[in-house]
Amino acid sequence: MAQFDLPLDQLEQYRPALPEPPDLDAFWAKSLAESDAFDLAMTAKPVANGLATIDTFDVTFAGYGGHPVRGWLHLPVTRTGPLPAVVEYLGYGSGRGVPHEKRLWACAGYAHLVMDSRGQGADTPDPDVATGDVAAPGFLTRGVLDPERYYYRRLYTDAVRAVAAVRAHPAVDPARVAVTGTSQGGGIALAAAGLAPRLLAVLPDVPFLCCFPRAATFTDQPPYVEITRYVKLHRAHAETVMRTLSYFDAAVLARRATAPALFSVGLMDRICPPSTVYAAFNHYGERAALPAGDKQISVYPFNDHEGGGPDHEVVKLAWLAGRLSPSIPAKR
């Protein structure tokens, strides 16, 4: 394994021209308005997790099209007053898992909502899969010939609705909500940063779903290779595929972000190449003229797609404590 992408000094300046459809904002305004017509219908039922310091709730809320989306909401057992919250999105092909599986943020004193990914985990189906659609194995080309039918239209909408759902819970301070995730989860967090209002922090780790034009031609690793395989078989659809993807490029949506952000990148990452991460980082917040000091990136020169792993969790805990809540001090 070796560093294979641009040198770091070039990555720090890498700002590719990303295709942006002229109706992008109208497309997303329409998509979110359609789902906002459905009541959130949030439920939170306590479940046994075997843990002494964390309460866990089996959450359901109405996502895209009013479809039920599942999740775990973790709360510290000892709490006084509304808590800041972290919404976590998940990696490609994985679901919310079992109740005790993800507990870092609740252990640190936050409300922590883990959103299941429709069609990927075991608990949230994707009822809107269009019959007759041709796709490469996986999710990345599901419905890719039409932005209205594309899989990530549904998943990104779920992500925005998850923010609304956690804000609706009585244990949560709706003014103090952050989003995070790794790989696919990091890309979804960036999309949510551009689409969900009034977020206070965004923590995308080694994000996927960024800079599709480069990713599709630069790496032969899954999941991006699904795009290559699809276009290899359906040559006449190449332009249509890239047009659809431009509505869902997390680097494009992140231009609209207004919240401070902490990224991470592994310079040996062949799954989400460093240049695609830096494309998102360097474009992040530019539409909102985000101050340069409001975004940071932690660089792990000798790491692949695992990025900074538990070492970066220490960085995230300290950074978010400083950004979100003076009542949750960073430990030294």
Side-chain angles (χ1 to χ4, degrees):
M1 186 186 303
Q3 293 182 8
F4 64 97
D5 208 329
L6 299 171
L8 182 58
D9 60 342
Q10 294 181 34
L11 289 171
E12 291 172 342
Q13 304 302 317
Y14 184 65
R15 193 183 297 268
L18 296 172
E20 184 170 313
D23 65 337
L24 177 68
D25 292 320
F27 171 85
W28 279 110
K30 173 178 176 286
S31 297
L32 297 177
E34 287 175 356
S35 283
D36 284 345
F38 295 92
D39 187 88
L40 271 172
M42 181 180 175
T43 62
K45 301 176 181 178
V47 296
N49 61 18
L51 305 174
T53 60
I54 298 171
D55 291 329
T56 298
F57 300 83
D58 184 353
V59 166
T60 303
F61 63 90
Y64 173 88
H67 304 154
V69 177
R70 304 287 292 278
W72 301 123
L73 177 64
H74 304 301
L75 301 174
V77 169
T78 302
R79 51 188 185 268
T80 56
L83 298 170
V86 175
V87 178
E88 182 174 0
Y89 309 115
L90 300 172
Y92 196 76
S94 65
R96 64 175 181 164
V98 293
H100 65 272
E101 192 170 344
K102 291 181 176 293
R103 54 191 183 275
L104 175 71
W105 294 108
C107 287
Y110 298 87
H112 180 198
L113 176 64
V114 181
M115 187 190 87
D116 206 31
S117 298
R118 64 168 58 219
Q120 297 188 34
D123 297 328
T124 303
D126 183 15
D128 240 37
V129 177
T131 57
D133 275 347
V134 176
F139 304 93
L140 200 51
T141 60
R142 187 172 289 178
V144 76
L145 297 184
D146 182 355
E148 297 276 340
R149 301 206 327 248
Y150 187 49
Y151 171 78
Y152 282 94
R153 182 186 185 217
R154 302 189 289 280
L155 191 54
Y156 286 2
T157 301
D158 291 346
V160 174
R161 295 282 281 180
V163 172
V166 81
R167 282 176 167 152
H169 194 278
V172 170
D173 179 351
R176 296 185 294 165
V177 176
V179 294
T180 191
T182 299
S183 192
Q184 176 185 252
I188 298 170
L190 288 173
L195 296 172
R198 303 181 306 282
L199 292 174
L200 284 193
V202 182
L203 299 94
D205 290 329
V206 293
F208 175 49
L209 304 166
C210 296
C211 198
F212 283 119
R214 182 169 178 83
T217 56
F218 191 67
T219 181
D220 59 0
Q221 297 298 304
Y224 282 123
V225 74
E226 293 172 21
I227 300 170
T228 312
R229 289 170 178 163
Y230 182 91
V231 177
K232 183 177 181 179
L233 290 174
H234 306 281
R235 300 171 181 83
H237 293 328
E239 185 175 341
T240 301
V241 167
M242 295 313 296
R243 178 181 178 275
T244 293
L245 293 175
S246 68
Y247 286 86
F248 303 92
D249 194 322
V252 171
L253 293 172
R255 287 171 167 165
R256 292 151 173 78
T258 60
L262 173 64
F263 284 64
S264 70
V265 61
L267 295 188
M268 294 184 177
D269 188 347
R270 293 182 177 274
I271 293 175
C272 294
S275 54
T276 67
V277 176
Y278 268 96
F281 176 75
N282 290 330
H283 280 292
Y284 184 89
E286 63 186 4
R287 287 287 186 91
L290 189 75
D294 274 359
K295 63 181 182 181
Q296 300 172 218
I297 187 165
S298 295
V299 181
Y300 297 95
F302 298 98
N303 288 94
D304 196 343
H305 196 52
E306 77 280 0
D311 290 317
H312 188 60
E313 289 179 343
V314 175
V315 176
K316 291 193 293 184
L317 287 167
W319 183 85
L320 187 54
R323 287 287 181 177
L324 266 183
S325 174
S327 66
I328 302 179
K331 291 185 178 180
R332 300 186 183 277

